[in-house]
Amino acid sequence: MAKKTRKTASGRFFEDFHVGQELRHQGSRTITSGDVSLYIALTGGAFALQSSDPFARSVGYHAAPVDDLLVFHIVFGLSVADISKNATANLGYAGCDFLSQIMVGETISARSTVTGLREVSSGQAGIVYVRTEGLNQRGQPILTYSRWVMVPKRYPESPAPDPIVPDLPDQVAPLTVPRHRINRAWDDRETGSPHRWEDYEPGERIDHIDGVTVEEAEHMMAARLYDNSARAHLDQRAMADSAFGRRLVYGGHVISMARALSRNGLANGCILSAINGGKHRNPVFGGDTIYAWTEVLERIVLDGRTDIGALRLMTRAVKNRPAGDFPCDGQDLVLELDYTVIMPRR
Amino acid sequence: MAKKTRKTASGRFFEDFHVGQELRHQGSRTITSGDVSLYIALTGGAFALQSSDPFARSVGYHAAPVDDLLVFHIVFGLSVADISKNATANLGYAGCDFLSQIMVGETISARSTVTGLREVSSGQAGIVYVRTEGLNQRGQPILTYSRWVMVPKRYPESPAPDPIVPDLPDQVAPLTVPRHRINRAWDDRETGSPHRWEDYEPGERIDHIDGVTVEEAEHMMAARLYDNSARAHLDQRAMADSAFGRRLVYGGHVISMARALSRNGLANGCILSAINGGKHRNPVFGGDTIYAWTEVLERIVLDGRTDIGALRLMTRAVKNRPAGDFPCDGQDLVLELDYTVIMPRR
Amino acid sequence: MAKKTRKTASGRFFEDFHVGQELRHQGSRTITSGDVSLYIALTGGAFALQSSDPFARSVGYHAAPVDDLLVFHIVFGLSVADISKNATANLGYAGCDFLSQIMVGETISARSTVTGLREVSSGQAGIVYVRTEGLNQRGQPILTYSRWVMVPKRYPESPAPDPIVPDLPDQVAPLTVPRHRINRAWDDRETGSPHRWEDYEPGERIDHIDGVTVEEAEHMMAARLYDNSARAHLDQRAMADSAFGRRLVYGGHVISMARALSRNGLANGCILSAINGGKHRNPVFGGDTIYAWTEVLERIVLDGRTDIGALRLMTRAVKNRPAGDFPCDGQDLVLELDYTVIMPRR
């Protein structure tokens, strides 16, 4: 008789993790101009620096760098098979440091370390904390972040591990910034915004006005582009039996949508330096329309730099309602993203 | 208390335009092979010259040029934030001259001049006429066209400006054509059509037969690929409250769909030289199926050229019904496009 | 009066074919990195060798080769206008030999020979057998396969041709394999699977576990990417009147989805050497969720090669139900694909 074998990976359950575990994720991915175009078409993320080779060269790059979030998603995608294939929720991110900008043609790989485990009160699942690092083709770190996800247990009766919750930073510091001088040639007409670092005040709130609807085909194409094979995004038949009854939009797609919307108001913030913390507050489904607003948390002077400064921002995204009243909670709130961008000074 | 600021661009209203106003549009965009592939996947626009480097080289190009309409859409997209973000309808185009063909790796920017203004009888909106110019990375014009759009007023009580309606040409002349000889090596097997310039007669009608359905995800991806942020295409929640109750397909996507369908019958017309005039007659929505037919308006001899000639064509697109009976009006008619293509002679 | 002409190709009907007929298909297509990214985003087909330039170089390639099925679809697409534009069903494939791997920048053309014809019992249609060959820019064969399709007759009363059914091989032999040594540097961490050629046993069954839902926008974008203009995939209005009442997913897209799913369990099988035979058992529609399982048919020793071996596999795909019980028939079965992959040995 034919025999059934177990060569397929069904993904880790909560029992399969232990603190200190090192995971060298499978695969590597060469970033192409096709990936960049798809990222723009799927998310609208077309900041000026990433869209124009001449503009990028005018401010000291060899060519337009790849959008930082596309790099983030590729690193994240590389980690899914090992960490979150069975995850029921991405709960949060912290300490995400973008260490260098990536160019088309570079190749990305990733590895993670399990830094914490905590069973949830129901006893049905646990929270897994990992520190993930993206590397370039020379093995140099390009991106590092912590995330924590809810992972079901294989057996409800499995004993709970000793709870270990890592200390996670509230803020990435010191910030990684481009080494070359940027502002002399910075042309605000390239970005469409006259607003530079000095123009943003802590406490200031910006409604990004525009809304954008997400379709099933779009978020699924995005997930596949990043090789993110989490069941929740791709398999409608399986998700029909879930509590949601349908596919969930990959949370990173929501982050990209919010960041794309934020271009209207923050167009000079082309360089993402850090994600200090991020939380998905409610799920997003195909057909939802996303809006976003941003609060300026802090204007950061960078040591020895008169060309650029940093802005710490909190962008909140909501679904199916405008964000002009600056909502901070409720069922409509889908994302809170605390992050830091680099902006040219005058 | 946190304060709300106005750093976001909500787009111009009718009052914000004046005749003679010059708008240097924000941003520039380097065209990549990813953009070209997406254009093919989203529209079906895969004319032979634009799809094959060896064929393009055999007829005198360095490599396959970028589809003229993709360039048009990128230029158009660059102008949306300044001109038509709030537009409720793209009413027409005239005098669109494709001045040179663009290659992958070139970078496009754009600027416009307001050439006319006219309040509509309701007093709620006005028509804005602009002349837009696309430029390459050396600042050379690559494309120029006039368009007019319906833009709402900010305040209904704002006084009407003196109406100024520019003289718009019925036809682009003289035509811009490739400088190099083309027909010696032109291989009809590359295009699949034995029909050359001499074979088309004024008055001749061609049913392009095929139909293609447009999905919401497709036209939204197209709009984002061109960085066309007009609310009407992307924001289902806002459009639910509009007269249409739903998102509108970007008119340029309909032009591209019609042009793609026209390949069946006009496959040797790979080079778009001019759009003499274009009108969107009725809106197109996700789920509509588009058909098209073409009337040959004129066969144009090009001075000093025995290798190529021009055909002036009128392509009409209809929705949700075949075009075999050559419909010229009605609720099904979505597009009238009067344009000129270059075709090899025998 | 304006006259109607017949410059459009409405595709061949059964009467338009004769055995021995040679068809040099229109067009050629230069493969770009944009095509590769779209293939990944649309199908999930991201085998390690095709995704990473450094990995590909480490095992003897100049760069990451293009996925064999993307090449297959481009060749197939080139043949549609001549062969299957009006086809109501792709019935099967045989003897598909992947002769060389294609790199980004290469250009593909195709030609076919009609090898058989057989009217079906209803007298309304017939089966057309063709042998198709894909060529590179130097005219060298890169891929060859037989397929047979159901094509309607133009007139039911047309006489039936003498039935000729070609002898089709059950298996491609000898197999085409990469000439260079592969396994010394093969890094299982790149593919995520420790399972090599020796680890697969004839009779072994592998459930690929994952499911993926296909959206209308996705399969239509795929069809257009391959320039596959078959009416059945793209024209909802026309298909509303068909027996199915809706658009059919291009069978090749189902093959790609099944192959992408098979990566979970067969990740080291990056190189597709042959499709011995393939059949579409039931149609797939937008909204269906696809699952797949594979039976190992044969472990093939390759003469003189200790670095690689071949595995003959049967992958079956089903819709809207998991494949964990290894279904071999029924209304859910959509694909049977008998093919051969190259795998590194220990």
Side-chain angles (χ1 to χ4, degrees):
Chain A
M1 283 295 295
K3 62 176 179 172
K4 176 176 173 177
T5 57
R6 291 288 187 190
K7 289 201 170 68
T8 38
S10 54
R12 280 187 176 75
F13 290 87
F14 186 62
E15 294 93 326
D16 301 322
F17 294 95
H18 62 268
V19 173
Q21 187 174 10
E22 302 208 345
L23 301 162
R24 197 277 206 190
H25 303 307
Q26 66 184 59
S28 58
R29 173 74 169 270
T30 304
I31 305 292
T32 73
S33 61
D35 300 331
V36 170
S37 292
L38 265 164
Y39 184 77
I40 291 173
L42 290 167
T43 70
F47 277 84
L49 182 64
Q50 284 78 14
S51 301
S52 171
D53 286 332
F55 178 48
R57 282 194 290 261
S58 76
V59 296
Y61 292 85
H62 298 300
V66 174
D67 191 283
D68 304 293
L69 285 176
L70 171 53
V71 176
F72 176 87
H73 298 321
I74 297 282
V75 171
F76 187 104
L78 288 163
S79 79
V80 166
D82 283 328
I83 295 169
S84 52
K85 180 135 180 173
N86 298 319
T88 49
N90 272 306
L91 297 169
Y93 310 92
C96 177
D97 194 353
F98 294 88
L99 299 165
S100 72
Q101 286 183 287
I102 294 298
M103 298 290 160
V104 163
E106 295 202 84
T107 299
I108 297 175
S109 62
R111 61 188 176 205
S112 297
T113 304
V114 179
T115 57
L117 291 172
R118 182 169 68 79
E119 189 172 292
V120 298
S121 56
S122 74
Q124 305 286 315
I127 298 172
V128 179
Y129 297 80
V130 295
R131 183 86 189 148
T132 297
E133 192 170 47
L135 308 162
N136 68 10
Q137 63 280 3
R138 291 179 297 277
Q140 297 162 331
I142 54 170
L143 171 64
T144 178
Y145 64 90
S146 293
R147 72 165 163 138
W148 50 107
V149 293
M150 174 89 73
V151 178
K153 290 167 73 173
R154 182 175 276 115
Y155 310 108
E157 62 273 22
S158 299
D162 290 336
I164 296 179
V165 175
D167 269 336
L168 293 172
D170 290 332
Q171 183 169 5
V172 173
L175 288 169
T176 305
V177 301
R179 290 193 199 138
H180 59 277
R181 278 189 67 80
I182 278 187
N183 71 338
R184 292 202 191 276
W186 192 275
D187 183 349
D188 292 338
R189 293 177 306 180
E190 284 285 343
T191 64
S193 168
H195 305 297
R196 297 220 180 169
W197 178 78
E198 292 86 347
D199 302 320
Y200 293 86
E201 295 291 338
E204 180 178 347
R205 294 176 170 196
I206 302 165
D207 173 20
H208 300 302
I209 302 178
D210 307 305
V212 64
T213 305
V214 57
E215 298 291 331
E216 301 280 14
E218 293 167 359
H219 74 81
M220 286 176 55
M221 286 181 68
R224 280 187 297 246
L225 179 64
Y226 315 138
D227 207 19
N228 178 335
S229 59
R231 188 162 293 119
H233 311 318
L234 298 172
D235 183 340
Q236 175 56 38
R237 194 211 59 85
M239 292 306 288
D241 299 331
S242 73
F244 301 115
R246 51 193 306 206
R247 283 163 282 176
L248 296 172
V249 174
Y250 160 50
H253 193 62
V254 180
I255 293 176
S256 282
M257 291 173 76
R259 170 107 171 116
L261 291 169
S262 80
R263 187 154 50 110
N264 192 353
L266 292 161
N268 278 324
C270 295
I271 303 167
L272 188 56
S273 178
I275 296 175
N276 302 299
K279 289 192 179 163
H280 298 293
R281 288 300 187 188
N282 282 291
V284 173
F285 304 109
D288 283 343
T289 301
I290 303 298
Y291 294 81
W293 70 277
T294 294
E295 179 171 352
V296 179
L297 299 181
E298 189 182 356
R299 200 169 59 201
I300 303 167
V301 175
L302 297 170
D303 277 356
R305 298 297 291 256
T306 56
D307 58 329
I308 52 174
L311 292 180
R312 185 175 177 183
L313 306 167
M314 171 67 84
T315 292
R316 289 184 174 86
V318 289
K319 62 179 179 180
N320 305 323
R321 52 158 291 180
D325 60 344
F326 308 114
C328 287
D329 49 32
Q331 293 294 310
D332 308 322
L333 185 68
V334 296
L335 176 71
E336 289 181 316
L337 194 72
D338 173 345
Y339 61 109
T340 306
V341 299
I342 302 302
M343 225 183 240
R345 296 177 61 160
R346 294 194 183 286
Chain B
M1 283 294 294
K3 63 177 177 173
K4 176 176 171 176
T5 57
R6 291 287 186 190
K7 288 201 171 67
T8 38
S10 54
R12 281 186 175 76
F13 290 88
F14 186 61
E15 294 93 327
D16 301 323
F17 294 95
H18 62 267
V19 173
Q21 188 174 9
E22 302 208 344
L23 301 162
R24 197 279 207 189
H25 303 307
Q26 66 184 58
S28 59
R29 173 76 168 269
T30 304
I31 306 292
T32 72
S33 62
D35 301 331
V36 170
S37 292
L38 265 164
Y39 183 76
I40 291 173
L42 291 167
T43 70
F47 277 84
L49 182 64
Q50 284 78 13
S51 301
S52 170
D53 286 333
F55 178 47
R57 282 194 290 261
S58 75
V59 296
Y61 292 85
H62 298 300
V66 174
D67 191 284
D68 305 294
L69 285 177
L70 172 54
V71 177
F72 177 87
H73 297 321
I74 297 281
V75 171
F76 187 104
L78 288 164
S79 79
V80 165
D82 283 327
I83 294 169
S84 52
K85 180 134 179 174
N86 298 318
T88 50
N90 272 306
L91 298 168
Y93 310 90
C96 177
D97 195 354
F98 294 87
L99 299 165
S100 72
Q101 288 182 286
I102 294 297
M103 297 290 160
V104 163
E106 295 203 84
T107 299
I108 297 174
S109 60
R111 60 188 176 205
S112 297
T113 305
V114 179
T115 58
L117 291 172
R118 183 170 68 77
E119 188 171 292
V120 297
S121 55
S122 74
Q124 305 287 314
I127 297 172
V128 179
Y129 298 80
V130 295
R131 183 85 189 148
T132 297
E133 193 170 48
L135 307 162
N136 68 11
Q137 63 280 3
R138 292 179 296 277
Q140 297 162 331
I142 54 170
L143 171 65
T144 179
Y145 64 90
S146 294
R147 71 164 163 139
W148 50 108
V149 293
M150 174 90 73
V151 178
K153 290 168 72 175
R154 184 175 276 114
Y155 310 108
E157 63 274 21
S158 300
D162 291 336
I164 295 180
V165 175
D167 270 336
L168 294 172
D170 290 333
Q171 185 169 6
V172 173
L175 288 168
T176 306
V177 300
R179 291 194 198 139
H180 59 277
R181 278 188 68 80
I182 279 187
N183 71 337
R184 291 201 192 277
W186 191 274
D187 183 349
D188 292 338
R189 293 177 306 179
E190 284 285 343
T191 64
S193 168
H195 305 297
R196 298 221 179 168
W197 178 78
E198 293 86 347
D199 302 322
Y200 293 86
E201 294 291 339
E204 182 177 347
R205 294 175 170 195
I206 302 164
D207 172 21
H208 300 302
I209 303 178
D210 308 306
V212 63
T213 304
V214 56
E215 298 290 331
E216 301 280 13
E218 293 167 358
H219 74 81
M220 286 178 54
M221 286 181 68
R224 281 187 297 246
L225 179 64
Y226 315 139
D227 207 20
N228 179 335
S229 59
R231 187 161 294 118
H233 310 318
L234 298 173
D235 182 341
Q236 175 56 37
R237 194 211 59 85
M239 293 305 289
D241 299 330
S242 73
F244 300 116
R246 52 195 304 207
R247 283 162 282 177
L248 297 171
V249 174
Y250 160 49
H253 193 63
V254 181
I255 292 176
S256 282
M257 291 172 76
R259 170 108 170 114
L261 291 169
S262 81
R263 186 153 53 108
N264 192 352
L266 291 161
N268 279 323
C270 296
I271 304 168
L272 187 55
S273 178
I275 296 174
N276 302 298
K279 289 191 178 163
H280 298 293
R281 288 300 189 189
N282 282 292
V284 173
F285 303 110
D288 284 343
T289 301
I290 303 298
Y291 294 81
W293 70 276
T294 294
E295 179 171 353
V296 179
L297 299 181
E298 190 182 355
R299 199 170 59 201
I300 302 168
V301 175
L302 297 170
D303 277 357
R305 299 297 291 258
T306 56
D307 58 330
I308 53 174
L311 292 180
R312 186 174 176 185
L313 306 167
M314 170 67 84
T315 293
R316 288 184 174 88
V318 289
K319 61 179 179 181
N320 305 324
R321 51 157 293 180
D325 61 345
F326 308 114
C328 287
D329 49 32
Q331 292 294 310
D332 308 323
L333 185 69
V334 295
L335 175 71
E336 289 180 316
L337 194 73
D338 173 344
Y339 61 109
T340 306
V341 300
I342 303 301
M343 227 185 238
R345 296 177 61 160
R346 293 192 184 288
Chain C
M1 282 295 295
K3 62 177 180 173
K4 176 175 172 177
T5 57
R6 290 288 186 191
K7 288 201 171 67
T8 37
S10 54
R12 281 186 175 76
F13 290 87
F14 186 61
E15 294 92 327
D16 302 323
F17 293 95
H18 63 269
V19 172
Q21 188 174 9
E22 302 208 344
L23 301 162
R24 196 278 205 190
H25 303 307
Q26 65 183 60
S28 58
R29 173 75 168 272
T30 304
I31 305 292
T32 73
S33 62
D35 300 331
V36 170
S37 292
L38 266 164
Y39 184 76
I40 291 173
L42 290 168
T43 70
F47 277 85
L49 182 64
Q50 285 77 13
S51 301
S52 171
D53 286 333
F55 177 48
R57 282 195 289 262
S58 76
V59 296
Y61 292 86
H62 298 300
V66 173
D67 191 284
D68 305 294
L69 285 177
L70 172 52
V71 176
F72 176 87
H73 297 321
I74 296 281
V75 171
F76 187 104
L78 288 164
S79 79
V80 165
D82 283 327
I83 294 169
S84 52
K85 180 134 178 175
N86 298 319
T88 49
N90 272 306
L91 298 169
Y93 311 90
C96 177
D97 194 354
F98 294 87
L99 299 165
S100 71
Q101 286 184 287
I102 294 297
M103 297 290 160
V104 163
E106 295 203 85
T107 300
I108 298 174
S109 61
R111 62 188 176 206
S112 297
T113 304
V114 179
T115 57
L117 291 173
R118 182 170 67 79
E119 189 172 290
V120 298
S121 55
S122 73
Q124 306 285 316
I127 297 171
V128 179
Y129 297 79
V130 296
R131 183 85 189 148
T132 297
E133 192 172 49
L135 308 162
N136 68 10
Q137 63 279 2
R138 292 180 297 276
Q140 297 162 331
I142 54 170
L143 171 63
T144 179
Y145 63 90
S146 294
R147 71 165 164 140
W148 50 108
V149 292
M150 174 89 73
V151 178
K153 290 167 74 175
R154 183 174 277 114
Y155 310 109
E157 62 273 21
S158 300
D162 290 337
I164 296 180
V165 174
D167 269 337
L168 293 172
D170 289 334
Q171 183 169 5
V172 174
L175 287 169
T176 306
V177 300
R179 289 193 199 139
H180 59 277
R181 278 189 68 81
I182 278 187
N183 71 339
R184 291 200 192 277
W186 191 275
D187 183 349
D188 292 339
R189 292 177 307 178
E190 284 286 342
T191 63
S193 167
H195 306 296
R196 298 221 179 167
W197 179 78
E198 293 86 346
D199 302 320
Y200 292 86
E201 295 291 338
E204 181 177 345
R205 295 176 169 195
I206 303 164
D207 171 20
H208 301 301
I209 302 178
D210 307 307
V212 63
T213 304
V214 57
E215 298 291 330
E216 301 279 14
E218 292 167 359
H219 74 81
M220 287 177 54
M221 287 182 68
R224 281 187 297 245
L225 178 65
Y226 315 138
D227 207 19
N228 179 335
S229 59
R231 188 162 293 119
H233 311 317
L234 298 173
D235 182 340
Q236 175 56 38
R237 195 212 56 87
M239 292 306 289
D241 299 330
S242 74
F244 301 116
R246 52 194 304 204
R247 283 163 281 176
L248 297 172
V249 174
Y250 160 51
H253 192 63
V254 181
I255 293 176
S256 282
M257 291 172 76
R259 170 109 170 113
L261 291 169
S262 79
R263 186 154 52 110
N264 192 352
L266 291 160
N268 278 324
C270 295
I271 303 167
L272 188 55
S273 178
I275 296 176
N276 302 298
K279 290 192 179 163
H280 298 294
R281 288 300 188 189
N282 282 291
V284 173
F285 304 109
D288 283 343
T289 301
I290 303 298
Y291 294 81
W293 69 277
T294 293
E295 179 170 353
V296 179
L297 299 181
E298 189 182 355
R299 199 168 60 200
I300 303 169
V301 175
L302 298 171
D303 277 357
R305 299 296 292 258
T306 56
D307 57 330
I308 53 175
L311 292 180
R312 186 175 177 184
L313 305 166
M314 170 67 83
T315 293
R316 289 184 173 86
V318 289
K319 61 179 179 181
N320 305 323
R321 50 158 292 181
D325 60 345
F326 308 113
C328 286
D329 49 32
Q331 292 294 310
D332 308 322
L333 184 68
V334 295
L335 175 72
E336 290 180 315
L337 194 72
D338 173 344
Y339 60 108
T340 306
V341 300
I342 303 301
M343 226 184 238
R345 296 177 62 160
R346 294 192 184 286

